[in-house]
Amino acid sequence: MNPSTLTWQSPIALLAYLGTTNYDTMALSPDGTHLVAASAGGYAAILDPASPSSASVVSLTSNPGNQSGNLSITKYNKAILAGSPCLEIDLSTLAVRSLGYLVADLIRASADGSALYGVDLNISSGEVHSLDPITYAQKTQVFGFLSWSDLAVSRDGKQFVGISGGPG
């Protein structure tokens, strides 16, 4: 959808890589120049929505693990794929690196990409996390006996809310 004209544009066809055509999650960078779609098959397609035919595909399989299918992009052009290990894709260089174990199962960025927050899913500890978008240092607050199912972040990142829901 073109936000200026509010008209639908031509669909964007994501690249198929080694037979992978199913992408589980996607995110748009705050400046709108990068669309990242990740697949459970261990690949991510990175493209500029203005010229989708010039997409690149990067392999995530050099950092095997269990990514949750949650993807966020910071204003520093870093795509964060939550899981164990959590992965970072540098959108400037397309380099992929492991961030190791970040506590949050679900990570969301503010619309401006200046803030990252996370929650632990399907457990009753009620933990919420604030993550530094540069160093990924975490601050954790516990609200015991709450199970989070989702997370919403304000546009400027100054507020967030965990959505309470039963496990599963």
Side-chain angles (χ1 to χ4, degrees), residues 84-163:
S84 180
C86 186
L87 301 179
E88 174 197 81
I89 304 168
D90 184 321
L91 300 179
S92 301
T93 64
L94 301 182
V96 177
R97 74 177 178 119
S98 172
L99 298 177
Y101 178 72
L102 291 179
V103 176
D105 297 319
L106 176 70
I107 299 173
R108 298 268 193 248
S110 58
D112 67 4
S114 66
L116 289 172
Y117 294 101
V119 294
D120 292 338
L121 298 176
N122 301 317
I123 58 173
S124 62
S125 66
E127 289 185 3
V128 296
H129 313 280
S130 171
L131 295 95
D132 182 291
I134 297 172
T135 65
Y136 308 113
Q138 294 185 151
K139 293 180 183 175
T140 299
Q141 179 69 45
V142 177
F143 295 93
F145 301 112
L146 288 174
S147 291
W148 305 121
S149 60
D150 205 348
L151 173 66
V153 180
S154 66
R155 180 175 178 81
D156 63 3
K158 292 182 179 175
Q159 296 179 318
F160 73 98
V161 60
I163 312 298

Side-chain angles (χ1 to χ4, degrees), residues 54-74:
S54 62
S56 300
V57 176
V58 296
S59 172
L60 306 174
T61 56
S62 62
N63 294 286
N66 181 23
Q67 280 68 49
S68 69
N70 172 249
L71 182 64
S72 297
I73 302 177
T74 71

